[in-house]
Structures are given as C-alpha cells and as structure tokens.
C-alpha cells in the first residue's frame, strides 16, 4: 500500500461514517488539528501514541498504523502552480505578498527566516454580514542565518543589529 492509498482509505471511512475533521481531531487529540489532519492526508507523521489512536478510530491494520508514524514525502501530489482554487489562493498570497513579508520580517528581526517546522497555524471563522471571513494566524520561530567564520567583534548570527 502507498501512503496516498492510506489517505484515500481514511477519507472513505470519514465519508462513510459522516465524521467531521473536528470530530476526528478531538478523538485523536494530542497536537494541533492542522498537524493531525495533515498526517491523515499524508503530509505529516503522527507520533506513535497518536498513530495508535488514529488506527483504533479508523479500524486500521498494524501496518497502516506504522505508515501513519513514518515521515512522509511532504508536498507530493500538489502541482506547481496549484490547480485547486483554494490552494492556489494561498500560493497567490505568497507570490504577491512574500516580498513585503520578507522585508518587514528582516527589518524587525534581522537576516534570517521564519521556520515552517517550529510553526503554529490557527484558523477561525469570523461572522460578517457581507460574508463570513477566514481569519488565519501563523507563528513561526525566527531563525537567524549563521555567519560562518565570523571574526572577533563580528556578530555570528543574523539578528537585527542596533
């Protein structure tokens, strides 16, 4: 079985049982719903206790449980540029706004990146009479570039200089 086959099996069970992602993530628990759903869709791994809970919830075999605990090949299955309209809008947000985000982050923090590994994502529905809004909060650890071979008096990391 391939990892994408397991994700399809999980989606089939979800549809058959009429479960919501909220129900599933509440049952499995243990970490961010984004990470749990991502793991069930094949983009993240579940740690062993959560893989066990997911396997029990979905009635998966021992081999399928082990697959949920394996580090996946992330990003597989999404063409570039993305063709799904919702995913494309995130791509568009990055393509259009990333230069400004980069400039603002570097001005505030220095020479480095925002981690996509030490990262949190929160989504909230905001009612609005003109149409409900999707509110997203992303929080990633700032990781400064390391300046190898920095001599005495030269900062070794790319933190913002006073």
């Amino acid at each position: 079985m391939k990892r994408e086959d397991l994700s399809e099996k999980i989606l089939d069970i979800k549809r058959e049982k009429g479960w919501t992602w909220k129900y599933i993530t509440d049952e499995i628990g243990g970490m961010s719903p984004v990470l749990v759903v991502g793991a069930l869709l094949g983009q993240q791994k579940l740690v062993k206790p959560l893989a066990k809970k997911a396997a029990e919830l979905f009635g998966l075999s021992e081999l399928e449980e082990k697959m949920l605990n394996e580090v996946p090949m992330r990003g597989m299955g999404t063409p570039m540029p993305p063709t799904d309209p919702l995913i494309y809008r995130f791509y568009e947000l990055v393509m259009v706004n990333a230069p400004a985000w980069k400039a603002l982050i570097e001005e505030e923090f220095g020479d480095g990146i925002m981690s996509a590994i030490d990262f949190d994502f929160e989504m909230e529905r905001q009612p609005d009479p003109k149409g409900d809004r999707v509110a997203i909060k992303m929080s990633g650890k700032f990781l400064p570039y390391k300046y190898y071979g920095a001599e005495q008096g030269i900062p070794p990391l790319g933190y913002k200089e006073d």
Side-chain angles (χ1 to χ4, degrees):
M1 173 182 276
K2 294 182 181 176
R3 188 61 188 84
E4 54 268 19
D5 296 329
L6 178 54
S7 293
E8 277 304 314
K9 178 177 180 176
I10 287 168
L11 288 170
D12 285 344
I13 294 167
K14 177 186 178 291
R15 279 188 285 273
E16 179 186 310
K17 304 263 187 192
W19 291 342
T20 63
W21 287 120
K22 177 160 181 25
Y23 170 78
I24 293 166
T25 58
D26 285 349
E27 289 294 307
I28 296 171
M31 62 174 61
S32 162
V34 173
L35 292 175
V36 173
V37 173
L40 297 175
L41 295 176
Q43 296 300 309
Q44 302 286 351
K45 75 169 246 177
L46 289 177
V47 294
K48 288 180 180 180
L50 299 185
K52 183 172 184 55
K53 287 177 89 172
E56 289 170 359
L57 179 65
F58 286 95
L60 303 178
S61 70
E62 188 177 323
L63 177 63
E64 292 164 331
E65 178 182 333
K66 287 179 181 181
M67 287 180 82
L68 289 174
N69 180 245
E70 291 176 357
V71 177
M73 182 65 75
R74 295 176 172 99
M76 297 291 294
T78 301
M80 284 294 150
T83 55
D84 179 87
L86 181 62
I87 295 173
Y88 181 82
R89 288 301 168 261
F90 281 102
Y91 176 79
E92 180 180 33
L93 280 168
V94 170
M95 295 304 295
V96 172
N97 295 295
W101 295 340
K102 175 179 170 36
L104 292 167
I105 288 169
E106 288 171 349
E107 182 175 85
E108 180 68 25
F109 294 92
D111 183 15
I113 64 170
M114 182 179 85
S115 177
I117 295 171
D118 189 344
F119 180 81
D120 190 23
F121 177 98
E122 296 175 21
M123 184 199 69
E124 176 186 352
R125 183 183 195 137
Q126 291 182 337
D128 188 296
K130 295 179 184 175
D132 289 357
R133 303 184 64 81
V134 179
I136 294 173
K137 178 182 176 186
M138 297 186 294
S139 171
K141 180 179 180 181
F142 179 73
L143 302 170
Y145 280 101
K146 183 171 183 172
Y147 301 147
Y148 292 97
E151 297 177 3
Q152 182 75 23
I154 303 299
L157 299 172
Y159 288 114
K160 181 179 176 181
E161 298 178 66
D162 296 324

